[in-house]
Amino acid sequence: MMKRYEVEVTGRVQGVGFRAFVEQTASQYPVTGTVQNRPEGSVVIQVQGEETEIEQFLAKVGQGNHFAKVEHMEKKEIPKKEKEGRFSTIY
């Protein structure tokens, strides 16, 4: 079943290439959405797709890249977006 989640990621996730890592990771899964820095230092991901694909994507994101350190990920379900075509970074 198609779902959409907003996931707030905290830890060392800004200034370390984490958004690019998330976008590149998303390209490996059939998911759409966005990734964006928040002013207080966290990163927010909105991801849409099948539940199993989202879980696999988030598991990979939780591992971080070589420079990022994910400390916590908080996920909440949000309304789906129709006709969203890809995953992208919001600057």
Side-chain angles (χ1 to χ4, degrees):
M1 177 195 276
M2 186 74 69
K3 301 256 185 171
R4 185 177 189 88
Y5 292 101
E6 182 172 277
V7 183
E8 184 173 12
V9 184
T10 56
R12 189 175 64 234
V13 292
Q14 287 194 15
V16 292
F18 186 69
R19 285 179 300 163
F21 164 73
V22 171
E23 188 172 354
Q24 192 276 329
T25 301
S27 72
Q28 300 170 21
Y29 298 90
V31 297
T32 61
T34 59
V35 59
Q36 179 177 21
N37 283 345
R38 286 218 169 131
E40 79 285 350
S42 67
V43 169
V44 66
I45 300 167
Q46 287 194 5
V47 60
Q48 182 168 296
E50 295 295 326
E51 185 82 34
T52 55
E53 300 294 342
I54 291 172
E55 291 304 319
Q56 291 173 11
F57 163 71
L58 291 177
K60 183 89 169 180
V61 165
Q63 295 172 11
N65 62 12
H66 296 294
F67 306 105
K69 182 176 188 317
V70 174
E71 293 176 359
H72 183 70
M73 295 173 67
E74 186 166 329
K75 178 177 86 170
K76 67 178 179 183
E77 190 168 357
I78 59 175
K80 294 178 282 204
K81 285 191 177 179
E82 298 300 321
K83 299 181 182 175
E84 183 175 61
R86 62 188 191 102
F87 196 97
S88 59
T89 299
I90 297 175
Y91 292 96

